[in-house]
Amino acid sequence: MCPNPRFPKPSDRGFRRQTDYNPLMWDEFFAEKKDVETKQGKFRVYLSGPTEPGAPLLVLLHGGGFSALSWAHFSKEVTKLIHCQCLAFDIRGHGDTYTEEEDDLSAERLATDVGDVMQVMYGESAPPIILMGHSMGGAICVHAANMFVLPSLIGVVVIDVVEGTALEALASMQSFLRSRPTTFKSIQHAIEWCVRSGQVRNVESARVSMPGQIINIETKQLATNELPLPADSAAEEKLEFKLPNAIAEDAESGDNASTSGSDDPSITPPATPPATTSVNLRKYAWRIDLSKSEKYWEGWFSGLSQKFLDIHVPKLLLLAGIDNLDRALTVGQMQGKFQLQVLARCGHAVHEDRPHEVAEVLATYLIRNRFAQPTTDGQFLRHMPAC
Protein backbone atom coordinates (compact mmCIF):
# COMPACT_ATOMS: atom_id res chain seq x y z
CA MET A 1 0.00 0.00 0.00
CA CYS A 2 1.40 3.40 -0.95
CA PRO A 3 1.35 6.07 1.72
CA ASN A 4 -0.96 9.01 1.11
CA PRO A 5 1.28 12.03 0.48
CA ARG A 6 -1.41 14.32 1.87
CA PHE A 7 -1.45 12.58 5.26
CA PRO A 8 1.27 13.93 7.58
CA LYS A 9 3.89 11.48 8.75
CA PRO A 10 4.94 11.38 12.44
CA SER A 11 8.29 12.83 11.37
CA ASP A 12 6.66 15.92 9.83
CA ARG A 13 7.10 19.09 11.86
CA GLY A 14 3.41 19.87 11.93
CA PHE A 15 2.55 16.38 13.17
CA ARG A 16 4.96 16.32 16.09
CA ARG A 17 3.59 16.54 19.59
CA GLN A 18 4.89 19.69 21.24
CA THR A 19 7.09 19.05 24.26
CA ASP A 20 6.00 20.65 27.52
CA TYR A 21 8.84 22.79 28.89
CA ASN A 22 6.84 24.46 31.64
CA PRO A 23 8.59 24.26 35.05
CA LEU A 24 7.44 22.02 37.87
CA MET A 25 7.20 22.96 41.54
CA TRP A 26 9.46 21.47 44.23
CA ASP A 27 6.49 20.37 46.37
CA GLU A 28 5.50 17.75 43.81
CA PHE A 29 8.60 15.80 44.89
CA PHE A 30 9.56 16.93 48.40
CA ALA A 31 7.41 17.29 51.51
CA GLU A 32 9.27 20.23 53.05
CA LYS A 33 11.82 22.93 52.32
CA LYS A 34 13.62 24.96 54.96
CA ASP A 35 16.55 27.31 55.38
CA VAL A 36 19.20 26.03 57.79
CA GLU A 37 21.32 28.71 59.44
CA THR A 38 24.95 27.85 60.21
CA LYS A 39 27.88 30.08 61.15
CA GLN A 40 28.67 30.35 57.45
CA GLY A 41 25.23 31.39 56.26
CA LYS A 42 21.85 30.07 55.10
CA PHE A 43 21.53 26.71 53.34
CA ARG A 44 18.37 25.75 51.43
CA VAL A 45 17.31 22.20 52.34
CA TYR A 46 14.63 19.97 50.77
CA LEU A 47 13.24 16.97 52.69
CA SER A 48 11.05 14.07 51.69
CA GLY A 49 8.32 12.92 54.07
CA PRO A 50 9.14 11.34 57.46
CA THR A 51 9.69 7.62 57.59
CA GLU A 52 9.79 4.85 60.20
CA PRO A 53 12.26 5.12 63.14
CA GLY A 54 15.74 3.80 62.41
CA ALA A 55 15.44 4.25 58.65
CA PRO A 56 18.49 5.78 56.96
CA LEU A 57 18.79 9.38 55.87
CA LEU A 58 20.02 9.89 52.30
CA VAL A 59 22.06 13.11 52.18
CA LEU A 60 22.20 14.12 48.51
CA LEU A 61 24.87 16.44 47.08
CA HIS A 62 24.43 17.84 43.57
CA GLY A 63 27.10 18.49 40.95
CA GLY A 64 28.75 21.78 40.08
CA GLY A 65 26.29 24.25 38.57
CA PHE A 66 23.27 22.07 39.44
CA SER A 67 21.02 22.44 42.49
CA ALA A 68 19.34 20.27 45.10
CA LEU A 69 16.30 19.99 42.82
CA SER A 70 18.30 17.76 40.48
CA TRP A 71 17.47 15.01 43.03
CA ALA A 72 13.70 15.61 42.88
CA HIS A 73 12.64 12.68 40.71
CA PHE A 74 15.16 10.31 42.28
CA SER A 75 13.90 11.15 45.79
CA LYS A 76 10.32 10.46 44.78
CA GLU A 77 11.28 7.12 43.24
CA VAL A 78 13.54 5.78 45.99
CA THR A 79 11.08 6.53 48.80
CA LYS A 80 8.55 4.34 46.98
CA LEU A 81 10.94 1.38 47.15
CA ILE A 82 12.49 1.50 50.61
CA HIS A 83 11.93 3.10 54.00
CA CYS A 84 14.22 6.13 54.02
CA GLN A 85 14.19 9.89 54.09
CA CYS A 86 15.92 12.07 51.49
CA LEU A 87 17.66 15.34 52.32
CA ALA A 88 19.01 17.43 49.46
CA PHE A 89 20.53 20.86 49.95
CA ASP A 90 21.98 23.56 47.74
CA ILE A 91 25.76 23.61 48.06
CA ARG A 92 27.53 26.90 48.79
CA GLY A 93 27.29 29.27 45.82
CA HIS A 94 24.39 27.33 44.28
CA GLY A 95 20.61 27.51 44.30
CA ASP A 96 18.98 29.36 47.20
CA THR A 97 21.98 28.96 49.53
CA TYR A 98 23.69 32.22 50.49
CA THR A 99 26.81 32.23 52.66
CA GLU A 100 29.85 34.24 53.56
CA GLU A 101 32.67 33.72 51.06
CA GLU A 102 30.35 32.40 48.36
CA ASP A 103 33.30 31.86 46.02
CA ASP A 104 35.15 29.52 48.42
CA LEU A 105 34.40 26.19 46.75
CA SER A 106 37.41 24.28 48.06
CA ALA A 107 36.84 20.61 48.80
CA GLU A 108 37.57 21.10 52.50
CA ARG A 109 35.14 24.02 52.80
CA LEU A 110 32.32 22.20 51.03
CA ALA A 111 32.87 19.01 53.06
CA THR A 112 32.80 21.05 56.28
CA ASP A 113 29.53 22.65 55.17
CA VAL A 114 27.97 19.19 54.97
CA GLY A 115 28.94 18.46 58.56
CA ASP A 116 27.75 21.90 59.72
CA VAL A 117 24.30 21.51 58.16
CA MET A 118 23.83 18.06 59.64
CA GLN A 119 25.01 19.26 63.06
CA VAL A 120 22.52 22.14 63.12
CA MET A 121 19.65 19.93 61.98
CA TYR A 122 20.25 16.81 64.10
CA GLY A 123 22.94 17.56 66.68
CA GLU A 124 24.13 14.39 68.37
CA SER A 125 20.99 12.42 67.46
CA ALA A 126 21.53 12.12 63.71
CA PRO A 127 20.02 9.04 62.05
CA PRO A 128 22.19 6.59 60.06
CA ILE A 129 23.42 8.58 57.05
CA ILE A 130 24.07 7.47 53.49
CA LEU A 131 26.10 10.16 51.74
CA MET A 132 25.36 10.30 48.01
CA GLY A 133 26.75 12.73 45.45
CA HIS A 134 26.92 13.37 41.73
CA SER A 135 30.03 14.67 39.92
CA MET A 136 31.48 17.44 42.11
CA GLY A 137 29.02 16.40 44.82
CA GLY A 138 30.41 12.87 44.63
CA ALA A 139 33.91 14.21 45.18
CA ILE A 140 32.67 16.18 48.20
CA CYS A 141 31.12 12.96 49.58
CA VAL A 142 34.53 11.30 49.45
CA HIS A 143 36.27 14.25 51.11
CA ALA A 144 33.59 14.47 53.81
CA ALA A 145 33.89 10.75 54.56
CA ASN A 146 37.68 11.04 54.86
CA MET A 147 37.34 14.08 57.14
CA PHE A 148 34.87 12.22 59.43
CA VAL A 149 32.45 15.14 59.55
CA LEU A 150 29.47 12.76 59.85
CA PRO A 151 29.78 10.42 62.88
CA SER A 152 26.68 8.43 61.89
CA LEU A 153 27.86 7.75 58.32
CA ILE A 154 27.16 4.15 57.23
CA GLY A 155 27.57 4.29 53.44
CA VAL A 156 28.85 6.35 50.52
CA VAL A 157 27.47 6.46 46.96
CA VAL A 158 29.31 8.28 44.16
CA ILE A 159 27.72 8.93 40.77
CA ASP A 160 29.78 9.29 37.59
CA VAL A 161 32.98 10.85 38.89
CA VAL A 162 36.39 9.17 38.60
CA GLU A 163 39.72 10.85 39.28
CA GLY A 164 41.44 9.95 36.02
CA THR A 165 38.70 10.95 33.62
CA ALA A 166 37.73 14.01 35.68
CA LEU A 167 41.27 15.42 35.66
CA GLU A 168 41.56 14.79 31.91
CA ALA A 169 38.28 16.63 31.30
CA LEU A 170 39.41 19.75 33.15
CA ALA A 171 41.55 20.84 30.19
CA SER A 172 38.45 21.36 28.05
CA MET A 173 36.12 22.57 30.82
CA GLN A 174 36.55 26.29 30.16
CA SER A 175 35.76 25.89 26.45
CA PHE A 176 32.68 23.86 27.36
CA LEU A 177 31.47 26.57 29.74
CA ARG A 178 32.02 29.22 27.07
CA SER A 179 29.89 27.21 24.65
CA ARG A 180 26.85 27.51 26.88
CA PRO A 181 24.40 30.39 26.48
CA THR A 182 24.93 33.13 29.05
CA THR A 183 21.32 34.28 29.24
CA PHE A 184 17.83 32.94 28.62
CA LYS A 185 14.62 34.59 27.52
CA SER A 186 12.42 32.64 29.94
CA ILE A 187 12.41 29.70 32.33
CA GLN A 188 10.82 27.52 29.66
CA HIS A 189 13.55 28.56 27.26
CA ALA A 190 16.23 27.50 29.76
CA ILE A 191 14.54 24.13 30.24
CA GLU A 192 14.37 23.61 26.48
CA TRP A 193 18.09 24.38 26.13
CA CYS A 194 18.87 21.98 29.00
CA VAL A 195 17.17 19.12 27.17
CA ARG A 196 18.28 19.94 23.62
CA SER A 197 21.90 20.40 24.64
CA GLY A 198 21.94 16.99 26.35
CA GLN A 199 22.75 18.31 29.81
CA VAL A 200 19.69 16.40 31.00
CA ARG A 201 17.97 13.92 28.70
CA ASN A 202 14.86 13.50 30.83
CA VAL A 203 12.46 16.36 30.10
CA GLU A 204 10.47 15.81 33.30
CA SER A 205 13.60 16.09 35.41
CA ALA A 206 14.79 19.20 33.57
CA ARG A 207 11.44 20.86 34.25
CA VAL A 208 12.02 20.76 38.01
CA SER A 209 15.83 21.06 38.20
CA MET A 210 16.65 23.80 35.67
CA PRO A 211 14.80 26.64 37.50
CA GLY A 212 17.14 26.02 40.44
CA GLN A 213 20.15 26.84 38.25
CA ILE A 214 19.20 30.28 36.92
CA ILE A 215 18.41 33.68 38.45
CA ASN A 216 16.37 36.65 37.31
CA ILE A 217 18.87 39.26 36.11
CA GLU A 218 16.82 42.17 37.44
CA THR A 219 15.74 40.83 40.84
CA LYS A 220 18.77 38.53 41.44
CA GLN A 221 16.30 35.96 42.78
CA LEU A 222 16.41 32.26 41.90
CA ALA A 223 13.88 31.33 39.21
CA THR A 224 12.19 28.87 41.58
CA ASN A 225 10.94 31.86 43.59
CA GLU A 226 8.83 32.93 40.61
CA LEU A 227 6.89 29.66 40.48
CA PRO A 228 4.15 28.88 39.78
CA LEU A 229 4.18 30.94 36.61
CA PRO A 230 1.14 32.89 35.43
CA ALA A 231 -1.03 30.92 33.03
CA ASP A 232 -0.34 33.23 30.10
CA SER A 233 3.44 32.72 30.29
CA ALA A 234 3.07 29.11 29.14
CA ALA A 235 1.89 30.28 25.72
CA GLU A 236 5.03 32.20 24.75
CA GLU A 237 6.57 31.99 21.30
CA LYS A 238 8.56 28.96 20.17
CA LEU A 239 12.16 29.75 19.16
CA GLU A 240 14.44 27.61 17.05
CA PHE A 241 17.87 26.44 18.20
CA LYS A 242 20.56 26.46 15.55
CA LEU A 243 23.07 24.52 17.65
CA PRO A 244 22.50 22.50 20.83
CA ASN A 245 24.92 24.63 22.86
CA ALA A 246 24.43 28.01 21.19
CA ILE A 247 21.13 29.81 20.93
CA ALA A 248 19.95 32.96 19.26
CA GLU A 249 18.98 34.60 22.54
CA ASP A 250 22.65 35.17 23.40
CA ALA A 251 22.87 38.30 21.27
CA GLU A 252 24.56 41.16 23.07
CA SER A 253 22.35 43.91 21.65
CA GLY A 254 18.72 44.25 20.71
CA ASP A 255 19.51 45.03 17.07
CA ASN A 256 21.56 41.86 16.66
CA ALA A 257 19.15 39.78 18.69
CA SER A 258 16.39 40.16 16.14
CA THR A 259 18.55 39.10 13.19
CA SER A 260 21.24 36.70 14.46
CA GLY A 261 18.96 33.82 15.38
CA SER A 262 19.02 32.10 11.98
CA ASP A 263 19.87 32.62 8.31
CA ASP A 264 16.75 30.70 7.34
CA PRO A 265 14.34 33.17 5.67
CA SER A 266 11.40 31.04 6.77
CA ILE A 267 12.00 32.09 10.36
CA THR A 268 10.62 35.59 10.81
CA PRO A 269 12.08 37.68 13.62
CA PRO A 270 9.59 38.96 16.19
CA ALA A 271 8.21 42.38 15.29
CA THR A 272 9.11 44.16 18.53
CA PRO A 273 11.20 47.26 19.17
CA PRO A 274 14.93 46.51 19.64
CA ALA A 275 15.03 47.86 23.20
CA THR A 276 12.13 45.66 24.33
CA THR A 277 13.61 42.63 22.60
CA SER A 278 16.94 43.11 24.33
CA VAL A 279 15.27 43.06 27.74
CA ASN A 280 13.17 40.01 26.90
CA LEU A 281 16.08 38.01 25.54
CA ARG A 282 18.26 38.58 28.59
CA LYS A 283 15.93 37.92 31.50
CA TYR A 284 17.70 34.98 33.20
CA ALA A 285 21.35 34.09 33.77
CA TRP A 286 23.24 31.29 35.49
CA ARG A 287 23.14 31.30 39.29
CA ILE A 288 26.87 30.57 39.49
CA ASP A 289 29.74 31.42 37.17
CA LEU A 290 31.58 28.09 37.21
CA SER A 291 34.51 29.46 35.24
CA LYS A 292 35.55 31.48 38.30
CA SER A 293 35.90 28.29 40.39
CA GLU A 294 38.70 26.90 38.20
CA LYS A 295 41.32 27.16 40.94
CA TYR A 296 39.38 24.60 42.99
CA TRP A 297 38.79 22.00 40.27
CA GLU A 298 41.98 20.03 40.71
CA GLY A 299 41.50 19.96 44.48
CA TRP A 300 38.10 18.31 44.04
CA PHE A 301 39.43 15.38 42.05
CA SER A 302 43.15 14.96 42.78
CA GLY A 303 43.77 11.75 44.75
CA LEU A 304 40.04 11.00 44.69
CA SER A 305 40.31 7.31 43.71
CA GLN A 306 42.56 6.37 46.61
CA LYS A 307 40.50 8.43 49.05
CA PHE A 308 37.39 6.61 47.84
CA LEU A 309 39.05 3.23 48.39
CA ASP A 310 40.21 4.28 51.87
CA ILE A 311 36.65 4.91 53.10
CA HIS A 312 35.82 2.23 55.68
CA VAL A 313 32.05 2.07 55.10
CA PRO A 314 30.37 0.14 52.25
CA LYS A 315 30.73 2.02 48.96
CA LEU A 316 28.82 2.11 45.69
CA LEU A 317 30.14 3.64 42.47
CA LEU A 318 27.55 4.28 39.77
CA LEU A 319 28.87 5.13 36.29
CA ALA A 320 27.42 6.04 32.91
CA GLY A 321 30.07 3.95 31.15
CA ILE A 322 32.62 1.28 32.06
CA ASP A 323 35.33 3.16 30.14
CA ASN A 324 35.26 5.82 32.85
CA LEU A 325 37.14 3.60 35.36
CA ASP A 326 40.76 4.54 36.02
CA ARG A 327 43.50 2.08 37.00
CA ALA A 328 43.22 2.46 40.78
CA LEU A 329 39.47 1.87 40.78
CA THR A 330 39.76 -1.03 38.33
CA VAL A 331 42.15 -2.80 40.69
CA GLY A 332 40.00 -1.93 43.70
CA GLN A 333 36.86 -3.24 42.02
CA MET A 334 38.59 -6.53 41.16
CA GLN A 335 39.58 -6.82 44.83
CA GLY A 336 35.97 -6.33 45.90
CA LYS A 337 36.58 -3.05 47.76
CA PHE A 338 33.38 -1.45 46.48
CA GLN A 339 30.24 -2.21 44.50
CA LEU A 340 30.21 -1.06 40.89
CA GLN A 341 27.12 -0.51 38.75
CA VAL A 342 27.08 0.79 35.18
CA LEU A 343 23.93 2.17 33.59
CA ALA A 344 23.91 2.44 29.82
CA ARG A 345 22.01 4.85 27.57
CA CYS A 346 22.25 7.84 29.87
CA GLY A 347 24.30 11.00 30.10
CA HIS A 348 26.46 12.46 32.85
CA ALA A 349 23.43 13.36 34.99
CA VAL A 350 22.63 9.69 35.54
CA HIS A 351 20.19 10.25 38.41
CA GLU A 352 18.21 12.74 36.33
CA ASP A 353 18.18 10.76 33.09
CA ARG A 354 17.26 7.45 34.73
CA PRO A 355 15.86 8.23 38.22
CA HIS A 356 13.91 5.00 38.61
CA GLU A 357 16.81 2.74 37.69
CA VAL A 358 19.20 4.64 39.96
CA ALA A 359 16.64 4.29 42.75
CA GLU A 360 16.49 0.53 42.13
CA VAL A 361 20.28 0.24 42.22
CA LEU A 362 20.48 2.20 45.47
CA ALA A 363 17.61 0.27 47.05
CA THR A 364 19.34 -3.02 46.20
CA TYR A 365 22.59 -1.73 47.71
CA LEU A 366 20.90 -0.60 50.94
CA ILE A 367 18.86 -3.78 51.36
CA ARG A 368 21.85 -6.02 50.61
CA ASN A 369 23.85 -4.25 53.32
CA ARG A 370 20.82 -4.31 55.66
CA PHE A 371 20.73 -0.53 55.89
CA ALA A 372 17.08 -0.27 54.86
CA GLN A 373 13.89 -2.28 54.52
CA PRO A 374 11.67 -2.42 51.43
CA THR A 375 8.27 -0.78 51.57
CA THR A 376 5.17 -2.97 51.45
CA ASP A 377 4.63 -2.06 47.79
CA GLY A 378 8.32 -1.79 46.99
CA GLN A 379 8.43 -4.46 44.30
CA PHE A 380 11.36 -3.72 42.02
CA LEU A 381 14.01 -5.33 39.87
CA ARG A 382 17.01 -5.88 42.09
CA HIS A 383 20.30 -5.02 40.44
CA MET A 384 23.28 -7.22 41.20
CA PRO A 385 26.72 -5.56 41.07
CA ALA A 386 27.68 -5.62 37.41
CA CYS A 387 29.47 -3.82 34.64
Side-chain angles (χ1 to χ4, degrees):
M1 185 177 81
C2 296
N4 187 340
R6 296 183 179 180
F7 190 82
K9 302 187 293 293
S11 59
D12 289 343
R13 174 175 294 185
F15 193 79
R16 293 176 185 170
R17 184 179 63 181
Q18 187 172 3
T19 305
D20 185 2
Y21 294 116
N22 288 308
L24 298 175
M25 292 284 290
W26 67 270
D27 55 6
E28 296 184 36
F29 306 92
F30 293 102
E32 180 185 5
K33 74 173 179 180
K34 60 172 65 175
D35 292 327
V36 177
E37 294 279 352
T38 72
K39 294 180 180 179
Q40 293 293 320
K42 173 183 70 69
F43 290 81
R44 172 58 55 85
V45 174
Y46 298 89
L47 287 160
S48 63
T51 185
E52 63 179 17
L57 175 69
L58 307 184
V59 178
L60 309 172
L61 306 182
H62 61 80
F66 290 82
S67 77
L69 293 176
S70 66
W71 297 100
H73 275 276
F74 165 80
S75 298
K76 188 174 183 178
E77 293 291 338
V78 75
T79 51
K80 293 178 183 178
L81 303 178
I82 56 174
H83 291 289
C84 68
Q85 186 176 28
C86 293
L87 184 156
F89 72 89
D90 291 329
I91 292 174
R92 172 187 298 256
H94 295 72
D96 253 333
T97 287
Y98 296 95
T99 65
E100 299 177 359
E101 300 179 344
E102 285 255 309
D103 295 334
D104 184 1
L105 298 180
S106 64
E108 294 75 15
R109 178 71 267 168
L110 298 182
T112 303
D113 286 342
V114 175
D116 291 345
V117 171
M118 294 300 104
Q119 178 64 31
V120 171
M121 293 187 66
Y122 299 101
E124 303 301 322
S125 58
I129 289 177
I130 304 293
L131 197 53
M132 184 173 184
H134 165 247
S135 193
M136 178 198 75
I140 302 309
C141 286
V142 174
H143 288 286
N146 278 271
M147 293 169 61
F148 303 101
V149 298
L150 299 173
S152 61
L153 183 68
I154 60 173
V156 172
V157 181
V158 173
I159 298 181
D160 210 38
V161 57
V162 171
E163 177 185 354
T165 52
L167 290 175
E168 290 175 3
L170 294 183
S172 58
M173 185 57 64
Q174 285 287 7
S175 60
F176 165 75
L177 294 176
R178 286 193 296 269
S179 73
R180 303 192 306 173
T182 56
T183 59
F184 299 98
K185 170 189 172 179
S186 65
I187 298 177
Q188 295 96 325
H189 187 228
I191 295 170
E192 183 175 3
W193 173 86
C194 181
V195 175
R196 291 196 176 200
S197 68
Q199 175 173 301
V200 174
R201 301 182 183 183
N202 183 346
V203 177
E204 295 304 307
S205 187
R207 291 172 66 193
V208 65
S209 67
M210 193 61 187
Q213 302 174 43
I214 56 176
I215 59 172
N216 187 304
I217 295 176
E218 294 182 2
T219 65
K220 304 301 181 184
Q221 293 293 308
L222 201 68
T224 54
N225 295 313
E226 301 179 4
L227 304 182
L229 294 175
D232 57 350
S233 67
E236 64 178 24
E237 63 182 293
K238 176 78 172 175
L239 294 173
E240 291 293 331
F241 289 81
K242 284 196 66 178
L243 298 172
N245 286 331
I247 56 181
E249 286 68 23
D250 278 337
E252 292 298 326
S253 66
D255 294 331
N256 293 336
S258 63
T259 59
S260 62
S262 174
D263 296 330
D264 188 348
S266 65
I267 301 178
T268 304
T272 52
T276 304
T277 304
S278 177
V279 173
N280 287 342
L281 298 186
R282 298 176 59 84
K283 188 173 182 182
Y284 296 92
W286 295 104
R287 161 67 174 89
I288 180 174
D289 184 355
L290 284 175
S291 63
K292 294 181 180 179
S293 65
E294 182 177 9
K295 60 183 177 181
Y296 300 113
W297 295 349
E298 188 171 347
W300 295 343
F301 306 117
S302 183
L304 187 65
S305 293
Q306 190 57 51
K307 290 178 181 178
F308 177 73
L309 295 173
D310 290 341
I311 298 174
H312 296 298
V313 297
K315 304 173 287 293
L316 168 64
L317 178 61
L318 187 57
L319 299 178
I322 189 61
D323 295 337
N324 293 347
L325 274 184
D326 59 19
R327 183 177 181 277
L329 290 181
T330 300
V331 173
Q333 196 270 333
M334 295 175 66
Q335 294 174 342
K337 293 185 177 181
F338 63 92
Q339 177 180 331
L340 173 66
Q341 193 75 44
V342 178
L343 290 183
R345 302 184 304 279
C346 58
H348 178 52
V350 183
H351 59 300
E352 291 202 65
D353 293 347
R354 310 281 285 279
H356 182 71
E357 290 191 29
V358 173
E360 288 183 335
V361 170
L362 182 71
T364 302
Y365 158 77
L366 295 179
I367 293 173
R368 189 168 69 90
N369 286 281
R370 299 182 179 180
F371 292 153
Q373 296 296 323
T375 58
T376 53
D377 57 345
Q379 301 296 323
F380 60 95
L381 177 63
R382 301 195 179 191
H383 292 253
M384 298 302 294
C387 298

